[in-house]
């Protein structure tokens, strides 16, 4: 399964978006995923939504949603944290 099959985007773009998200959250929050806060994610997503064209925002949102869910599935995020982050992601849905 590739990003193109799942999200309709080239795999290279998918990887670039995941990398961009991780780097931005680290730069904005100076924290690793286990310490990401809902407020830091909310600030980041608002900024991204305002700066990205509509299609790019949709793709970016899909990637962020996948990252948060994957980190929860791998138990990198605690349940409470994952729920708070996912609520922020859902509030920003395109």
């Amino acid at each position: 399964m590739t990003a193109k099959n799942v999200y309709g985007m080239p795999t290279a773009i998918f990887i670039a978006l995941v990398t961009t998200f991780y780097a931005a959250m680290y730069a904005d929050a100076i924290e690793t995923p286990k310490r990401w806060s809902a407020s830091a994610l909310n600030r980041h997503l608002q900024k991204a939504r305002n700066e990205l064209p509509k299609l790019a925002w949709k793709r970016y949102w899909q990637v962020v949603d996948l990252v948060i869910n994957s980190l929860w599935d791998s138990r990198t995020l605690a349940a409470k944290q994952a729920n708070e982050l996912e609520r922020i992601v859902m509030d920003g849905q395109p």
Side-chain angles (χ1 to χ4, degrees):
M1 185 142 309
T2 66
K4 186 165 183 104
N5 297 107
V6 178
Y7 296 105
M9 68 180 88
T11 301
I13 290 174
F14 177 80
I15 291 168
L17 291 174
V18 170
T19 305
T20 298
F21 173 62
Y22 268 88
M25 282 300 291
Y26 185 79
D28 289 347
I30 313 297
E31 299 289 350
T32 59
K34 286 186 178 188
R35 297 184 185 268
W36 286 348
S37 68
S39 62
L41 179 61
N42 189 44
R43 281 190 308 274
H44 174 70
L45 290 180
Q46 286 179 8
K47 181 180 176 188
R49 184 178 210 151
N50 290 333
E51 293 177 356
L52 293 172
K54 194 174 219 175
L55 177 58
W57 164 247
K58 182 179 179 183
R59 286 179 169 178
Y60 193 68
W61 180 89
Q62 290 174 310
V63 167
V64 171
D65 187 42
L66 176 70
V67 168
I68 299 301
N69 283 301
S70 296
L71 290 171
W72 160 243
D73 289 345
S74 68
R75 301 301 184 249
T76 299
L77 302 176
K80 181 180 177 192
Q81 179 191 22
N83 287 333
E84 290 172 355
L85 296 175
E86 185 61 18
R87 187 172 49 248
I88 297 298
V89 171
M90 288 297 111
D91 286 348
Q93 187 170 7

PDB file of all heavy atoms in Angstrom, residues 17 20-21 24 28 40-62 64 87-94:
ATOM      1  N   LEU A  17       5.537  15.750   3.815  1.00  0.00           N
ATOM      2  CA  LEU A  17       4.563  16.338   4.740  1.00  0.00           C
ATOM      3  C   LEU A  17       4.726  15.797   6.158  1.00  0.00           C
ATOM      4  O   LEU A  17       4.637  16.548   7.133  1.00  0.00           O
ATOM      5  CB  LEU A  17       3.137  16.112   4.235  1.00  0.00           C
ATOM      6  CG  LEU A  17       2.758  16.885   2.980  1.00  0.00           C
ATOM      7  CD1 LEU A  17       1.384  16.475   2.483  1.00  0.00           C
ATOM      8  CD2 LEU A  17       2.823  18.382   3.207  1.00  0.00           C
ATOM      9  N   THR A  20       7.826  17.438   7.504  1.00  0.00           N
ATOM     10  CA  THR A  20       7.537  18.848   7.784  1.00  0.00           C
ATOM     11  C   THR A  20       6.754  18.991   9.080  1.00  0.00           C
ATOM     12  O   THR A  20       7.043  19.859   9.902  1.00  0.00           O
ATOM     13  CB  THR A  20       6.758  19.477   6.615  1.00  0.00           C
ATOM     14  OG1 THR A  20       7.569  19.411   5.443  1.00  0.00           O
ATOM     15  CG2 THR A  20       6.372  20.912   6.900  1.00  0.00           C
ATOM     16  N   PHE A  21       5.763  18.132   9.282  1.00  0.00           N
ATOM     17  CA  PHE A  21       4.951  18.198  10.492  1.00  0.00           C
ATOM     18  C   PHE A  21       5.806  17.951  11.736  1.00  0.00           C
ATOM     19  O   PHE A  21       5.764  18.720  12.700  1.00  0.00           O
ATOM     20  CB  PHE A  21       3.793  17.204  10.425  1.00  0.00           C
ATOM     21  CG  PHE A  21       3.028  17.116  11.707  1.00  0.00           C
ATOM     22  CD1 PHE A  21       2.356  18.223  12.211  1.00  0.00           C
ATOM     23  CD2 PHE A  21       2.976  15.934  12.421  1.00  0.00           C
ATOM     24  CE1 PHE A  21       1.651  18.146  13.409  1.00  0.00           C
ATOM     25  CE2 PHE A  21       2.278  15.851  13.610  1.00  0.00           C
ATOM     26  CZ  PHE A  21       1.613  16.967  14.109  1.00  0.00           C
ATOM     27  N   ALA A  24       8.158  20.904  12.298  1.00  0.00           N
ATOM     28  CA  ALA A  24       7.448  22.106  12.744  1.00  0.00           C
ATOM     29  C   ALA A  24       6.998  21.976  14.188  1.00  0.00           C
ATOM     30  O   ALA A  24       7.128  22.921  14.970  1.00  0.00           O
ATOM     31  CB  ALA A  24       6.249  22.365  11.839  1.00  0.00           C
ATOM     32  N   ASP A  28       8.185  24.485  16.948  1.00  0.00           N
ATOM     33  CA  ASP A  28       7.194  25.313  17.635  1.00  0.00           C
ATOM     34  C   ASP A  28       7.096  24.993  19.116  1.00  0.00           C
ATOM     35  O   ASP A  28       7.008  25.880  19.952  1.00  0.00           O
ATOM     36  CB  ASP A  28       5.802  25.144  17.004  1.00  0.00           C
ATOM     37  CG  ASP A  28       5.697  25.779  15.631  1.00  0.00           C
ATOM     38  OD1 ASP A  28       6.599  26.560  15.267  1.00  0.00           O
ATOM     39  OD2 ASP A  28       4.717  25.492  14.937  1.00  0.00           O
ATOM     40  N   ALA A  40      -0.172  23.559  21.508  1.00  0.00           N
ATOM     41  CA  ALA A  40       0.890  23.688  20.500  1.00  0.00           C
ATOM     42  C   ALA A  40       0.410  23.169  19.147  1.00  0.00           C
ATOM     43  O   ALA A  40       0.664  23.790  18.110  1.00  0.00           O
ATOM     44  CB  ALA A  40       2.147  22.944  20.944  1.00  0.00           C
ATOM     45  N   LEU A  41      -0.295  22.046  19.152  1.00  0.00           N
ATOM     46  CA  LEU A  41      -0.809  21.506  17.896  1.00  0.00           C
ATOM     47  C   LEU A  41      -1.845  22.448  17.300  1.00  0.00           C
ATOM     48  O   LEU A  41      -1.842  22.694  16.092  1.00  0.00           O
ATOM     49  CB  LEU A  41      -1.418  20.119  18.112  1.00  0.00           C
ATOM     50  CG  LEU A  41      -2.000  19.465  16.861  1.00  0.00           C
ATOM     51  CD1 LEU A  41      -0.934  19.260  15.784  1.00  0.00           C
ATOM     52  CD2 LEU A  41      -2.676  18.156  17.210  1.00  0.00           C
ATOM     53  N   ASN A  42      -2.700  22.998  18.122  1.00  0.00           N
ATOM     54  CA  ASN A  42      -3.718  23.922  17.640  1.00  0.00           C
ATOM     55  C   ASN A  42      -3.080  25.148  16.985  1.00  0.00           C
ATOM     56  O   ASN A  42      -3.484  25.551  15.885  1.00  0.00           O
ATOM     57  CB  ASN A  42      -4.636  24.345  18.788  1.00  0.00           C
ATOM     58  CG  ASN A  42      -5.829  25.117  18.298  1.00  0.00           C
ATOM     59  OD1 ASN A  42      -6.456  24.753  17.315  1.00  0.00           O
ATOM     60  ND2 ASN A  42      -6.138  26.196  18.988  1.00  0.00           N
ATOM     61  N   ARG A  43      -2.084  25.730  17.629  1.00  0.00           N
ATOM     62  CA  ARG A  43      -1.380  26.881  17.041  1.00  0.00           C
ATOM     63  C   ARG A  43      -0.757  26.512  15.702  1.00  0.00           C
ATOM     64  O   ARG A  43      -0.855  27.253  14.722  1.00  0.00           O
ATOM     65  CB  ARG A  43      -0.291  27.399  17.991  1.00  0.00           C
ATOM     66  CG  ARG A  43      -0.795  28.246  19.115  1.00  0.00           C
ATOM     67  CD  ARG A  43       0.335  28.919  19.882  1.00  0.00           C
ATOM     68  NE  ARG A  43       1.376  28.001  20.323  1.00  0.00           N
ATOM     69  CZ  ARG A  43       1.337  27.309  21.460  1.00  0.00           C
ATOM     70  NH1 ARG A  43       0.308  27.420  22.275  1.00  0.00           N
ATOM     71  NH2 ARG A  43       2.342  26.505  21.784  1.00  0.00           N
ATOM     72  N   HIS A  44      -0.109  25.360  15.671  1.00  0.00           N
ATOM     73  CA  HIS A  44       0.546  24.920  14.443  1.00  0.00           C
ATOM     74  C   HIS A  44      -0.466  24.710  13.314  1.00  0.00           C
ATOM     75  O   HIS A  44      -0.249  25.163  12.180  1.00  0.00           O
ATOM     76  CB  HIS A  44       1.352  23.637  14.684  1.00  0.00           C
ATOM     77  CG  HIS A  44       1.902  23.091  13.430  1.00  0.00           C
ATOM     78  ND1 HIS A  44       2.924  23.713  12.737  1.00  0.00           N
ATOM     79  CD2 HIS A  44       1.547  22.015  12.683  1.00  0.00           C
ATOM     80  CE1 HIS A  44       3.177  23.025  11.628  1.00  0.00           C
ATOM     81  NE2 HIS A  44       2.354  22.001  11.579  1.00  0.00           N
ATOM     82  N   LEU A  45      -1.561  24.039  13.606  1.00  0.00           N
ATOM     83  CA  LEU A  45      -2.547  23.765  12.564  1.00  0.00           C
ATOM     84  C   LEU A  45      -3.224  25.041  12.079  1.00  0.00           C
ATOM     85  O   LEU A  45      -3.507  25.173  10.877  1.00  0.00           O
ATOM     86  CB  LEU A  45      -3.587  22.755  13.051  1.00  0.00           C
ATOM     87  CG  LEU A  45      -3.075  21.328  13.243  1.00  0.00           C
ATOM     88  CD1 LEU A  45      -4.200  20.430  13.718  1.00  0.00           C
ATOM     89  CD2 LEU A  45      -2.452  20.771  11.967  1.00  0.00           C
ATOM     90  N   GLN A  46      -3.493  25.978  12.960  1.00  0.00           N
ATOM     91  CA  GLN A  46      -4.076  27.251  12.527  1.00  0.00           C
ATOM     92  C   GLN A  46      -3.120  27.981  11.586  1.00  0.00           C
ATOM     93  O   GLN A  46      -3.547  28.520  10.558  1.00  0.00           O
ATOM     94  CB  GLN A  46      -4.405  28.126  13.738  1.00  0.00           C
ATOM     95  CG  GLN A  46      -5.614  27.657  14.496  1.00  0.00           C
ATOM     96  CD  GLN A  46      -5.903  28.524  15.712  1.00  0.00           C
ATOM     97  OE1 GLN A  46      -5.282  29.564  15.922  1.00  0.00           O
ATOM     98  NE2 GLN A  46      -6.854  28.094  16.517  1.00  0.00           N
ATOM     99  N   LYS A  47      -1.851  27.982  11.932  1.00  0.00           N
ATOM    100  CA  LYS A  47      -0.852  28.633  11.090  1.00  0.00           C
ATOM    101  C   LYS A  47      -0.773  27.949   9.724  1.00  0.00           C
ATOM    102  O   LYS A  47      -0.783  28.611   8.683  1.00  0.00           O
ATOM    103  CB  LYS A  47       0.510  28.589  11.782  1.00  0.00           C
ATOM    104  CG  LYS A  47       1.614  29.247  11.007  1.00  0.00           C
ATOM    105  CD  LYS A  47       2.930  29.163  11.751  1.00  0.00           C
ATOM    106  CE  LYS A  47       4.052  29.733  10.914  1.00  0.00           C
ATOM    107  NZ  LYS A  47       5.359  29.502  11.498  1.00  0.00           N
ATOM    108  N   ALA A  48      -0.721  26.623   9.737  1.00  0.00           N
ATOM    109  CA  ALA A  48      -0.640  25.873   8.478  1.00  0.00           C
ATOM    110  C   ALA A  48      -1.873  26.115   7.621  1.00  0.00           C
ATOM    111  O   ALA A  48      -1.766  26.326   6.405  1.00  0.00           O
ATOM    112  CB  ALA A  48      -0.473  24.379   8.762  1.00  0.00           C
ATOM    113  N   ARG A  49      -3.043  26.101   8.233  1.00  0.00           N
ATOM    114  CA  ARG A  49      -4.285  26.311   7.481  1.00  0.00           C
ATOM    115  C   ARG A  49      -4.303  27.691   6.826  1.00  0.00           C
ATOM    116  O   ARG A  49      -4.763  27.848   5.686  1.00  0.00           O
ATOM    117  CB  ARG A  49      -5.491  26.155   8.392  1.00  0.00           C
ATOM    118  CG  ARG A  49      -6.793  26.279   7.646  1.00  0.00           C
ATOM    119  CD  ARG A  49      -7.979  26.062   8.558  1.00  0.00           C
ATOM    120  NE  ARG A  49      -9.038  25.507   7.745  1.00  0.00           N
ATOM    121  CZ  ARG A  49      -9.976  24.706   8.170  1.00  0.00           C
ATOM    122  NH1 ARG A  49      -9.991  24.321   9.417  1.00  0.00           N
ATOM    123  NH2 ARG A  49     -10.899  24.264   7.361  1.00  0.00           N
ATOM    124  N   ASN A  50      -3.801  28.691   7.519  1.00  0.00           N
ATOM    125  CA  ASN A  50      -3.777  30.054   6.982  1.00  0.00           C
ATOM    126  C   ASN A  50      -2.745  30.231   5.878  1.00  0.00           C
ATOM    127  O   ASN A  50      -2.916  31.073   5.000  1.00  0.00           O
ATOM    128  CB  ASN A  50      -3.509  31.065   8.094  1.00  0.00           C
ATOM    129  CG  ASN A  50      -4.680  31.191   9.036  1.00  0.00           C
ATOM    130  OD1 ASN A  50      -5.817  30.950   8.673  1.00  0.00           O
ATOM    131  ND2 ASN A  50      -4.390  31.542  10.270  1.00  0.00           N
ATOM    132  N   GLU A  51      -1.679  29.452   5.918  1.00  0.00           N
ATOM    133  CA  GLU A  51      -0.581  29.636   4.969  1.00  0.00           C
ATOM    134  C   GLU A  51      -0.649  28.741   3.741  1.00  0.00           C
ATOM    135  O   GLU A  51      -0.084  29.081   2.707  1.00  0.00           O
ATOM    136  CB  GLU A  51       0.755  29.407   5.682  1.00  0.00           C
ATOM    137  CG  GLU A  51       1.059  30.469   6.722  1.00  0.00           C
ATOM    138  CD  GLU A  51       2.343  30.207   7.479  1.00  0.00           C
ATOM    139  OE1 GLU A  51       2.983  29.150   7.265  1.00  0.00           O
ATOM    140  OE2 GLU A  51       2.709  31.062   8.300  1.00  0.00           O
ATOM    141  N   LEU A  52      -1.322  27.609   3.860  1.00  0.00           N
ATOM    142  CA  LEU A  52      -1.318  26.642   2.755  1.00  0.00           C
ATOM    143  C   LEU A  52      -2.513  26.843   1.821  1.00  0.00           C
ATOM    144  O   LEU A  52      -3.609  27.164   2.280  1.00  0.00           O
ATOM    145  CB  LEU A  52      -1.365  25.213   3.311  1.00  0.00           C
ATOM    146  CG  LEU A  52      -0.143  24.750   4.087  1.00  0.00           C
ATOM    147  CD1 LEU A  52      -0.415  23.401   4.734  1.00  0.00           C
ATOM    148  CD2 LEU A  52       1.070  24.679   3.174  1.00  0.00           C
ATOM    149  N   PRO A  53      -2.306  26.589   0.526  1.00  0.00           N
ATOM    150  CA  PRO A  53      -3.446  26.552  -0.393  1.00  0.00           C
ATOM    151  C   PRO A  53      -4.399  25.431   0.020  1.00  0.00           C
ATOM    152  O   PRO A  53      -4.002  24.496   0.724  1.00  0.00           O
ATOM    153  CB  PRO A  53      -2.803  26.251  -1.756  1.00  0.00           C
ATOM    154  CG  PRO A  53      -1.361  26.584  -1.595  1.00  0.00           C
ATOM    155  CD  PRO A  53      -1.027  26.377  -0.146  1.00  0.00           C
ATOM    156  N   LYS A  54      -5.625  25.509  -0.420  1.00  0.00           N
ATOM    157  CA  LYS A  54      -6.673  24.582   0.017  1.00  0.00           C
ATOM    158  C   LYS A  54      -6.294  23.106  -0.160  1.00  0.00           C
ATOM    159  O   LYS A  54      -6.447  22.306   0.765  1.00  0.00           O
ATOM    160  CB  LYS A  54      -7.967  24.890  -0.726  1.00  0.00           C
ATOM    161  CG  LYS A  54      -9.183  24.249  -0.144  1.00  0.00           C
ATOM    162  CD  LYS A  54     -10.432  24.725  -0.872  1.00  0.00           C
ATOM    163  CE  LYS A  54     -11.517  24.915   0.147  1.00  0.00           C
ATOM    164  NZ  LYS A  54     -12.719  25.479  -0.416  1.00  0.00           N
ATOM    165  N   LEU A  55      -5.805  22.714  -1.329  1.00  0.00           N
ATOM    166  CA  LEU A  55      -5.446  21.309  -1.565  1.00  0.00           C
ATOM    167  C   LEU A  55      -4.275  20.897  -0.682  1.00  0.00           C
ATOM    168  O   LEU A  55      -4.271  19.807  -0.105  1.00  0.00           O
ATOM    169  CB  LEU A  55      -5.102  21.056  -3.039  1.00  0.00           C
ATOM    170  CG  LEU A  55      -4.656  19.619  -3.360  1.00  0.00           C
ATOM    171  CD1 LEU A  55      -5.725  18.598  -2.978  1.00  0.00           C
ATOM    172  CD2 LEU A  55      -4.299  19.502  -4.830  1.00  0.00           C
ATOM    173  N   ALA A  56      -3.293  21.768  -0.551  1.00  0.00           N
ATOM    174  CA  ALA A  56      -2.142  21.452   0.305  1.00  0.00           C
ATOM    175  C   ALA A  56      -2.591  21.304   1.756  1.00  0.00           C
ATOM    176  O   ALA A  56      -2.118  20.413   2.465  1.00  0.00           O
ATOM    177  CB  ALA A  56      -1.077  22.534   0.178  1.00  0.00           C
ATOM    178  N   TRP A  57      -3.497  22.167   2.204  1.00  0.00           N
ATOM    179  CA  TRP A  57      -4.019  22.051   3.570  1.00  0.00           C
ATOM    180  C   TRP A  57      -4.725  20.718   3.767  1.00  0.00           C
ATOM    181  O   TRP A  57      -4.532  20.043   4.768  1.00  0.00           O
ATOM    182  CB  TRP A  57      -4.969  23.200   3.917  1.00  0.00           C
ATOM    183  CG  TRP A  57      -5.796  22.903   5.130  1.00  0.00           C
ATOM    184  CD1 TRP A  57      -7.131  22.716   5.183  1.00  0.00           C
ATOM    185  CD2 TRP A  57      -5.315  22.715   6.470  1.00  0.00           C
ATOM    186  NE1 TRP A  57      -7.515  22.422   6.466  1.00  0.00           N
ATOM    187  CE2 TRP A  57      -6.414  22.417   7.272  1.00  0.00           C
ATOM    188  CE3 TRP A  57      -4.049  22.755   7.053  1.00  0.00           C
ATOM    189  CZ2 TRP A  57      -6.304  22.168   8.641  1.00  0.00           C
ATOM    190  CZ3 TRP A  57      -3.939  22.501   8.419  1.00  0.00           C
ATOM    191  CH2 TRP A  57      -5.061  22.219   9.197  1.00  0.00           C
ATOM    192  N   LYS A  58      -5.531  20.294   2.816  1.00  0.00           N
ATOM    193  CA  LYS A  58      -6.237  19.012   2.924  1.00  0.00           C
ATOM    194  C   LYS A  58      -5.244  17.864   3.057  1.00  0.00           C
ATOM    195  O   LYS A  58      -5.394  16.994   3.906  1.00  0.00           O
ATOM    196  CB  LYS A  58      -7.143  18.797   1.716  1.00  0.00           C
ATOM    197  CG  LYS A  58      -7.931  17.511   1.796  1.00  0.00           C
ATOM    198  CD  LYS A  58      -8.840  17.331   0.600  1.00  0.00           C
ATOM    199  CE  LYS A  58      -9.583  16.008   0.714  1.00  0.00           C
ATOM    200  NZ  LYS A  58     -10.428  15.752  -0.441  1.00  0.00           N
ATOM    201  N   ARG A  59      -4.219  17.875   2.227  1.00  0.00           N
ATOM    202  CA  ARG A  59      -3.202  16.819   2.291  1.00  0.00           C
ATOM    203  C   ARG A  59      -2.466  16.852   3.626  1.00  0.00           C
ATOM    204  O   ARG A  59      -2.231  15.823   4.251  1.00  0.00           O
ATOM    205  CB  ARG A  59      -2.205  16.967   1.145  1.00  0.00           C
ATOM    206  CG  ARG A  59      -2.752  16.560  -0.183  1.00  0.00           C
ATOM    207  CD  ARG A  59      -1.724  16.755  -1.268  1.00  0.00           C
ATOM    208  NE  ARG A  59      -2.159  16.128  -2.504  1.00  0.00           N
ATOM    209  CZ  ARG A  59      -1.475  16.174  -3.626  1.00  0.00           C
ATOM    210  NH1 ARG A  59      -0.330  16.829  -3.680  1.00  0.00           N
ATOM    211  NH2 ARG A  59      -1.923  15.569  -4.710  1.00  0.00           N
ATOM    212  N   TYR A  60      -2.096  18.046   4.040  1.00  0.00           N
ATOM    213  CA  TYR A  60      -1.359  18.195   5.296  1.00  0.00           C
ATOM    214  C   TYR A  60      -2.212  17.708   6.461  1.00  0.00           C
ATOM    215  O   TYR A  60      -1.740  16.986   7.329  1.00  0.00           O
ATOM    216  CB  TYR A  60      -0.950  19.657   5.485  1.00  0.00           C
ATOM    217  CG  TYR A  60       0.074  19.863   6.578  1.00  0.00           C
ATOM    218  CD1 TYR A  60       1.371  19.387   6.434  1.00  0.00           C
ATOM    219  CD2 TYR A  60      -0.259  20.540   7.746  1.00  0.00           C
ATOM    220  CE1 TYR A  60       2.315  19.585   7.433  1.00  0.00           C
ATOM    221  CE2 TYR A  60       0.686  20.739   8.737  1.00  0.00           C
ATOM    222  CZ  TYR A  60       1.967  20.256   8.574  1.00  0.00           C
ATOM    223  OH  TYR A  60       2.896  20.461   9.564  1.00  0.00           O
ATOM    224  N   TRP A  61      -3.487  18.070   6.472  1.00  0.00           N
ATOM    225  CA  TRP A  61      -4.398  17.634   7.527  1.00  0.00           C
ATOM    226  C   TRP A  61      -4.478  16.108   7.570  1.00  0.00           C
ATOM    227  O   TRP A  61      -4.440  15.509   8.655  1.00  0.00           O
ATOM    228  CB  TRP A  61      -5.785  18.255   7.314  1.00  0.00           C
ATOM    229  CG  TRP A  61      -6.732  17.832   8.390  1.00  0.00           C
ATOM    230  CD1 TRP A  61      -6.944  18.453   9.582  1.00  0.00           C
ATOM    231  CD2 TRP A  61      -7.573  16.679   8.381  1.00  0.00           C
ATOM    232  NE1 TRP A  61      -7.867  17.749  10.319  1.00  0.00           N
ATOM    233  CE2 TRP A  61      -8.269  16.662   9.605  1.00  0.00           C
ATOM    234  CE3 TRP A  61      -7.812  15.665   7.462  1.00  0.00           C
ATOM    235  CZ2 TRP A  61      -9.185  15.662   9.932  1.00  0.00           C
ATOM    236  CZ3 TRP A  61      -8.715  14.664   7.792  1.00  0.00           C
ATOM    237  CH2 TRP A  61      -9.390  14.668   9.010  1.00  0.00           C
ATOM    238  N   GLN A  62      -4.579  15.483   6.397  1.00  0.00           N
ATOM    239  CA  GLN A  62      -4.640  14.018   6.344  1.00  0.00           C
ATOM    240  C   GLN A  62      -3.392  13.395   6.973  1.00  0.00           C
ATOM    241  O   GLN A  62      -3.484  12.418   7.715  1.00  0.00           O
ATOM    242  CB  GLN A  62      -4.759  13.531   4.898  1.00  0.00           C
ATOM    243  CG  GLN A  62      -6.085  13.827   4.263  1.00  0.00           C
ATOM    244  CD  GLN A  62      -6.091  13.465   2.788  1.00  0.00           C
ATOM    245  OE1 GLN A  62      -5.189  13.861   2.037  1.00  0.00           O
ATOM    246  NE2 GLN A  62      -7.100  12.728   2.369  1.00  0.00           N
ATOM    247  N   VAL A  64      -1.308  14.801   9.202  1.00  0.00           N
ATOM    248  CA  VAL A  64      -1.289  15.044  10.648  1.00  0.00           C
ATOM    249  C   VAL A  64      -2.228  14.066  11.353  1.00  0.00           C
ATOM    250  O   VAL A  64      -1.868  13.487  12.377  1.00  0.00           O
ATOM    251  CB  VAL A  64      -1.660  16.515  10.965  1.00  0.00           C
ATOM    252  CG1 VAL A  64      -1.849  16.722  12.462  1.00  0.00           C
ATOM    253  CG2 VAL A  64      -0.588  17.451  10.423  1.00  0.00           C
ATOM    254  N   ARG A  87      -8.732  15.526  18.986  1.00  0.00           N
ATOM    255  CA  ARG A  87      -9.836  16.496  19.017  1.00  0.00           C
ATOM    256  C   ARG A  87      -9.433  17.774  18.279  1.00  0.00           C
ATOM    257  O   ARG A  87     -10.213  18.338  17.505  1.00  0.00           O
ATOM    258  CB  ARG A  87     -10.245  16.793  20.459  1.00  0.00           C
ATOM    259  CG  ARG A  87     -11.480  17.652  20.565  1.00  0.00           C
ATOM    260  CD  ARG A  87     -12.023  17.803  21.976  1.00  0.00           C
ATOM    261  NE  ARG A  87     -11.009  18.170  22.955  1.00  0.00           N
ATOM    262  CZ  ARG A  87     -10.579  17.367  23.933  1.00  0.00           C
ATOM    263  NH1 ARG A  87     -11.055  16.147  24.060  1.00  0.00           N
ATOM    264  NH2 ARG A  87      -9.663  17.789  24.788  1.00  0.00           N
ATOM    265  N   ILE A  88      -8.187  18.218  18.477  1.00  0.00           N
ATOM    266  CA  ILE A  88      -7.687  19.400  17.770  1.00  0.00           C
ATOM    267  C   ILE A  88      -7.651  19.134  16.266  1.00  0.00           C
ATOM    268  O   ILE A  88      -8.058  19.977  15.464  1.00  0.00           O
ATOM    269  CB  ILE A  88      -6.286  19.802  18.281  1.00  0.00           C
ATOM    270  CG1 ILE A  88      -6.339  20.204  19.753  1.00  0.00           C
ATOM    271  CG2 ILE A  88      -5.665  20.897  17.417  1.00  0.00           C
ATOM    272  CD1 ILE A  88      -7.199  21.398  20.078  1.00  0.00           C
ATOM    273  N   VAL A  89      -7.180  17.960  15.897  1.00  0.00           N
ATOM    274  CA  VAL A  89      -7.112  17.596  14.468  1.00  0.00           C
ATOM    275  C   VAL A  89      -8.520  17.592  13.863  1.00  0.00           C
ATOM    276  O   VAL A  89      -8.747  18.165  12.795  1.00  0.00           O
ATOM    277  CB  VAL A  89      -6.420  16.237  14.267  1.00  0.00           C
ATOM    278  CG1 VAL A  89      -6.538  15.762  12.828  1.00  0.00           C
ATOM    279  CG2 VAL A  89      -4.959  16.322  14.681  1.00  0.00           C
ATOM    280  N   MET A  90      -9.476  16.988  14.555  1.00  0.00           N
ATOM    281  CA  MET A  90     -10.841  16.916  14.030  1.00  0.00           C
ATOM    282  C   MET A  90     -11.470  18.307  13.924  1.00  0.00           C
ATOM    283  O   MET A  90     -12.211  18.577  12.986  1.00  0.00           O
ATOM    284  CB  MET A  90     -11.714  16.015  14.910  1.00  0.00           C
ATOM    285  CG  MET A  90     -11.392  14.537  14.778  1.00  0.00           C
ATOM    286  SD  MET A  90     -11.694  13.919  13.106  1.00  0.00           S
ATOM    287  CE  MET A  90     -10.039  13.604  12.551  1.00  0.00           C
ATOM    288  N   ASP A  91     -11.161  19.183  14.839  1.00  0.00           N
ATOM    289  CA  ASP A  91     -11.678  20.560  14.787  1.00  0.00           C
ATOM    290  C   ASP A  91     -11.144  21.315  13.569  1.00  0.00           C
ATOM    291  O   ASP A  91     -11.796  22.237  13.089  1.00  0.00           O
ATOM    292  CB  ASP A  91     -11.319  21.335  16.051  1.00  0.00           C
ATOM    293  CG  ASP A  91     -12.135  20.908  17.248  1.00  0.00           C
ATOM    294  OD1 ASP A  91     -13.130  20.176  17.090  1.00  0.00           O
ATOM    295  OD2 ASP A  91     -11.751  21.301  18.379  1.00  0.00           O
ATOM    296  N   GLY A  92      -9.993  20.920  13.064  1.00  0.00           N
ATOM    297  CA  GLY A  92      -9.393  21.585  11.912  1.00  0.00           C
ATOM    298  C   GLY A  92      -9.697  20.930  10.583  1.00  0.00           C
ATOM    299  O   GLY A  92      -9.150  21.331   9.557  1.00  0.00           O
ATOM    300  N   GLN A  93     -10.553  19.935  10.608  1.00  0.00           N
ATOM    301  CA  GLN A  93     -10.836  19.163   9.387  1.00  0.00           C
ATOM    302  C   GLN A  93     -11.259  20.067   8.226  1.00  0.00           C
ATOM    303  O   GLN A  93     -12.102  20.937   8.404  1.00  0.00           O
ATOM    304  CB  GLN A  93     -11.928  18.137   9.678  1.00  0.00           C
ATOM    305  CG  GLN A  93     -12.173  17.185   8.562  1.00  0.00           C
ATOM    306  CD  GLN A  93     -13.092  16.052   8.995  1.00  0.00           C
ATOM    307  OE1 GLN A  93     -13.642  16.046  10.081  1.00  0.00           O
ATOM    308  NE2 GLN A  93     -13.262  15.095   8.126  1.00  0.00           N
ATOM    309  N   PRO A  94     -10.636  19.848   7.065  1.00  0.00           N
ATOM    310  CA  PRO A  94     -11.003  20.654   5.882  1.00  0.00           C
ATOM    311  C   PRO A  94     -12.433  20.369   5.410  1.00  0.00           C
ATOM    312  O   PRO A  94     -12.973  19.376   5.671  1.00  0.00           O
ATOM    313  CB  PRO A  94     -10.000  20.251   4.817  1.00  0.00           C
ATOM    314  CG  PRO A  94      -9.103  19.241   5.396  1.00  0.00           C
ATOM    315  CD  PRO A  94      -9.568  18.941   6.787  1.00  0.00           C
TER     316      PRO A  94
END
